[in-house]
Amino acid sequence: MPYEHLQFAQAKPVLSWANHPLAHDETRMAKNVASLPFVFKHVALMPDVHLGKGALVGSVIATKEAIIPAAVGVDIGCGMAAVKTPFSADQLEGKLKKIRQDIESAIPVGFNDNKNIEKTVTNWQGWQDFKDLHKGVQNLDGKAMKQMGSLGGGNHFIEVCLDTEDQVWLMLHSGSRHIGNRLAQNHIHTAKDLAKLAETSLPDPDLSYFVAGTPEFTAYWHDLQWAQQYARFNRDVMMARLKRIIEKHLTGGKPMKPLLEVNCHHNYAEQETHFGESVYVTRKGAVRAQENDYGIIPGSMGAKSYIVKGKGHVDSYCSCSHGAGRLMSRTKAKKSYTLDDLIAQTDGVECRKDAGVLDEIPGAYKPIEQVMNNQSDLVEVVATLKQVVCVKG
């Protein structure tokens, strides 16, 4: 699908793959970002775009010599991991409930953390740099260590899925937990203070930024990279546990050899080269989709998910959507749907079906098939998955 070209007065262009008009607040948010003087070339909006804080979720923002901490957001490094296993659907028969129970007891969800810290976690190289992180988190090393290998809440999940060939996949969605949140909040606070001090004119305080070469930029960039590594390793630790649970039930504990492994961020920033220039690329709810990059685009807890390969579309800054995108707020979802709706919409999935996850009902999200149709020029589908077990955060 060709993207839509939006142009605002005194702003860079906005290229949208959403295939629908933006709502009033979404338009204002897109214009605010596009009007910043350091934005490079244009802003790209993915098909799952929706309201965020400061910038739209589902936006890709390339900048020269500056970065916006609130655009990256508070769940630094949030993303997905998936493993294709050599197992088939028939091997899962009669085992789904026990698998779900084992996942729930092995991987803490919500605000919970690990009671025992495993050796893999204590050996992580990142702990050596903890003392160099923002002074506002120096009392959190113990908590950060206990949360490594935990899921968190909201739309984070762990799933066992089947593809169209009835092959078993393992999939999970999580980020940098409390430590990433606190690091982000400290730096966002600093950026807002600097904007006030300098009397910088901004369309939204959440677009306060750091300028490259300043101590504040250097400190944020260091902490950002650390939190992104924490998030990636957090997913690795949980995936290793998930694999052991599946091996316990399907091979009697004998290790299996994964056929494909993917681990990708969708809330992060990196330095990349686009249109021949070095820029800072912030993907706020977007996945990198350079040519042959593997990515994961999950639907909601009763819908399909997709393993994709990037096509390297230059105008999207080699990016694609990170999921279906919410259609309605959590509050509205709880008011609009009943438990009976949740049970119906998650039919055939071994998962919680109670009021605590009603705000994650599939109906609260955009149809994932529509999102995929809108980005056929950004990615090719490698595998289509449907969950049979889902553990929500």
Side-chain angles (χ1 to χ4, degrees):
M1 173 215 138
Y3 51 75
E4 186 184 358
H5 189 286
L6 310 174
Q7 187 68 62
F8 304 110
Q10 297 168 325
K12 294 286 196 321
V14 174
L15 309 185
S16 172
W17 274 260
N19 199 23
H20 62 75
L22 299 180
H24 173 74
D25 286 346
E26 291 171 336
T27 303
R28 178 181 49 78
M29 205 167 260
K31 183 183 175 182
N32 286 348
V33 171
S35 68
L36 295 168
F38 51 83
V39 165
F40 176 69
K41 213 160 176 71
H42 61 262
V43 174
L45 303 182
M46 300 297 100
D48 59 339
V49 68
H50 57 280
L51 280 178
K53 203 169 169 62
L56 292 163
V57 177
S59 59
V60 185
I61 308 159
T63 52
K64 293 285 283 183
E65 304 301 322
I67 191 123
I68 310 160
V72 179
V74 293
D75 196 357
I76 297 171
C78 186
M80 299 286 307
V83 166
K84 183 180 184 179
T85 78
F87 307 126
S88 54
D90 56 349
Q91 292 173 270
L92 292 173
E93 233 163 88
K95 299 170 181 172
L96 297 184
K97 188 170 186 182
K98 193 73 185 82
I99 287 171
R100 174 165 79 98
Q101 289 169 343
D102 281 358
I103 294 168
E104 287 170 345
S105 50
I107 301 173
V109 302
F111 293 109
N112 298 328
D113 51 29
N114 294 285
K115 298 296 165 263
N116 302 306
I117 302 170
E118 62 192 271
K119 204 169 181 184
T120 316
V121 170
T122 50
N123 288 345
W124 182 54
Q125 296 297 302
W127 302 125
Q128 295 169 14
D129 300 324
F130 197 93
K131 62 187 183 309
D132 301 322
L133 298 176
H134 193 285
K135 65 179 188 300
V137 303
Q138 287 306 313
N139 62 334
L140 292 176
D141 52 342
K143 188 177 182 72
M145 208 173 262
K146 279 187 170 178
Q147 283 196 330
M148 175 77 83
S150 66
L151 190 66
N155 60 358
H156 292 168
F157 62 79
I158 300 166
E159 289 182 344
V160 179
C161 306
L162 299 176
D163 65 17
T164 48
E165 312 293 311
D166 270 352
Q167 200 89 13
V168 176
W169 289 70
L170 311 178
M171 191 162 75
L172 58 87
H173 173 208
S174 189
S176 55
R177 307 297 289 108
H178 184 67
I179 186 68
N181 185 313
R182 282 287 296 278
L183 281 169
Q185 287 190 24
N186 279 308
H187 288 289
I188 290 167
H189 187 69
T190 302
K192 287 180 176 178
D193 282 351
L194 283 178
K196 269 187 208 158
L197 273 172
E199 296 181 351
T200 308
S201 176
L202 287 168
D204 182 338
D206 281 316
L207 295 176
S208 299
Y209 56 90
F210 294 131
V211 176
T214 62
E216 293 83 6
F217 181 101
T218 304
Y220 174 63
W221 193 256
H222 169 272
D223 290 4
L224 179 72
Q225 299 307 309
W226 186 92
Q228 287 172 188
Q229 288 161 13
Y230 178 102
R232 185 181 294 277
F233 195 69
N234 182 42
R235 291 192 289 273
D236 284 341
V237 171
M238 285 187 283
M239 185 58 80
R241 286 186 203 162
L242 182 55
K243 273 156 63 178
R244 285 197 293 271
I245 289 165
I246 295 300
E247 286 159 0
K248 172 188 153 185
H249 287 279
L250 304 192
T251 70
K254 187 181 164 199
M256 60 103 168
K257 196 177 167 70
L259 305 179
L260 178 69
E261 297 180 273
V262 188
N263 192 336
C264 58
H265 297 318
H266 56 224
N267 274 357
Y268 74 114
E270 289 290 357
Q271 200 164 8
E272 297 177 0
T273 301
H274 292 276
F275 300 98
E277 295 192 47
S278 177
V279 290
Y280 297 102
V281 178
T282 296
R283 293 188 177 91
K284 185 182 182 74
V287 177
R288 198 183 73 173
Q290 291 177 357
E291 209 168 327
N292 295 325
D293 264 350
Y294 280 101
I296 306 165
I297 305 175
S300 57
M301 63 195 270
K304 292 172 184 170
S305 295
Y306 297 86
I307 307 296
V308 297
K309 202 185 266 191
K311 291 185 175 180
H313 196 304
V314 293
D315 288 336
S316 73
Y317 298 111
C318 301
S319 308
C320 66
S321 84
H322 80 310
R326 291 194 77 93
L327 264 180
M328 58 178 72
S329 70
R330 295 184 183 280
T331 306
K332 191 177 176 188
K334 286 175 181 173
K335 286 177 182 169
S336 305
Y337 290 105
T338 65
L339 278 183
D340 285 343
D341 295 327
L342 177 68
I343 290 162
Q345 291 185 28
T346 57
D347 184 43
V349 183
E350 174 59 47
C351 65
R352 280 174 60 195
K353 299 176 194 274
D354 57 60
V357 293
L358 188 57
D359 56 348
E360 281 293 308
I361 190 169
Y365 286 85
K366 291 177 184 174
I368 187 70
E369 292 85 357
Q370 179 192 318
V371 169
M372 295 307 296
N373 287 341
N374 291 359
Q375 57 184 343
S376 56
D377 54 343
L378 305 183
V379 290
E380 65 170 292
V381 174
V382 173
T384 303
L385 313 183
K386 180 73 175 66
Q387 66 281 85
V388 288
V389 174
C390 176
V391 173
K392 295 298 294 186

